Amino acid sequence: MDWVIQTHDLRKVYQMGEVEVEALRGVSFNIQRGEVVAIMGPSGSGKSTLMNTLGCLDRPSAGEYVLDGETVANLNDDQLADIRNRKVGFVFQSFNLLSRQTAITNVELPLRYSSNSKYAGNAKGRRARAVEALKAVGLENRMTHRPAELSGGQQQRVAIARAIVNDPAIIMADEPTGNLDSKVGKEIMKLLLDLNKESGTTLIIITHDPTIAEQTQRVIRLRDGLLDGGE
């Protein structure tokens, strides 16, 4: 089996003063390359902690995590940042675009920060790759626009282009339609699913919306830091 994510007994404990809070209490699952998976659960279930762990924004307190063949759990901060930049593309509910930068500059950012990228020191190559990514999301006519000059749906398309520009192993989308009306939200979901079909990039969606989850191939449900049946 071609696993892009393998986890075993993931645990995360936060120290809140003298109190220890167990956010993840022994979570184990695998995700196949190219799979579309939703992660669901009520507030406080551990969704955000699991997302941060899978996205290499944080490391588990215990357990094993292998991302695209690389063991993650024991990496230091610099190593985490490197693997995150190479292996993970993020799409956030609030878009997280730099307001003073154009669409194409926002999309180029992951290429600028990747020291191991084939585009390191290659400004023309970075620009050409960013153009390709914006064309893939249908924004070839908005490349020089700043976020304030774009609609919410267009801003999210820029964010998706930024997420795919490094050809990541996984795209992690955190409530990607949460700030959009239903019509635009459907367009963004279609775009994400089409990109998955065309490129085979694994798509992980964190969502509260059952209509979003229904469009995925599998749902991982969390409750109180544990898997809750749907896996």
Side-chain angles (χ1 to χ4, degrees):
M1 193 71 69
D2 188 9
W3 303 117
V4 71
I5 284 176
Q6 296 169 276
T7 70
H8 178 69
D9 200 28
L10 285 184
R11 297 174 183 270
K12 182 65 179 181
V13 178
Y14 293 103
Q15 195 73 35
M16 310 289 287
E18 297 182 357
V19 178
E20 288 189 344
V21 177
E22 290 185 291
L24 296 177
R25 299 194 290 144
V27 173
S28 302
F29 61 87
N30 298 330
I31 295 177
Q32 292 184 48
R33 190 177 306 280
E35 196 172 4
V36 181
V37 176
I39 295 177
M40 300 188 76
S43 296
S45 62
K47 287 195 313 299
S48 294
T49 300
L50 181 59
M51 182 197 76
N52 289 343
T53 302
L54 297 180
C56 300
L57 294 165
D58 201 358
R59 64 177 62 79
S61 302
E64 299 176 6
Y65 176 30
V66 179
L67 170 58
D68 198 27
E70 296 190 48
T71 301
V72 172
N74 298 318
L75 298 181
N76 62 35
D77 288 347
D78 288 342
Q79 291 168 325
L80 271 182
D82 177 65
I83 194 172
R84 180 170 65 242
N85 191 266
R86 289 186 291 111
K87 302 287 189 180
V88 185
F90 290 98
V91 180
F92 297 100
Q93 177 177 346
S94 55
F95 318 137
N96 286 13
L97 301 175
L98 297 181
S99 61
R100 296 185 179 182
Q101 302 299 326
T102 63
I104 195 163
T105 301
N106 270 282
V107 173
E108 276 187 59
L109 285 175
L111 301 176
R112 290 174 179 268
Y113 290 122
S114 181
S115 58
N116 295 324
S117 169
K118 63 183 179 180
Y119 301 107
N122 181 359
K124 287 185 178 180
R126 287 197 302 268
R127 179 55 56 102
R129 175 61 191 131
V131 168
E132 286 179 16
L134 282 165
K135 285 182 176 179
V137 300
L139 283 185
E140 57 266 37
N141 296 323
R142 295 289 187 272
M143 294 187 189
T144 59
H145 289 59
R146 290 177 173 80
E149 301 169 320
L150 300 170
S151 68
Q154 289 170 336
Q155 289 184 62
Q156 194 61 297
R157 286 173 181 266
V158 174
I160 292 169
R162 181 184 58 194
I164 65 173
V165 74
N166 249 351
D167 296 317
I170 63 173
I171 293 174
M172 185 159 290
D174 184 10
E175 300 284 0
T177 64
N179 280 345
L180 306 172
D181 64 44
S182 58
K183 178 178 181 294
V184 177
K186 289 178 181 177
E187 293 173 357
I188 292 300
M189 269 305 297
K190 182 179 185 303
L191 174 60
L192 287 168
L193 293 171
D194 285 347
L195 288 170
N196 163 263
K197 291 175 183 176
E198 292 165 8
S199 67
T201 303
T202 306
L203 178 59
I204 300 173
I205 302 174
I206 294 85
T207 184
H208 288 93
D209 188 343
T211 63
I212 298 294
E214 287 171 1
Q215 299 176 64
T216 68
Q217 297 166 354
R218 181 161 58 112
V219 178
I220 295 173
R221 299 182 190 276
L222 289 177
R223 183 176 295 275
D224 298 328
L226 296 166
L227 293 183
D228 185 31
E231 166 61 2

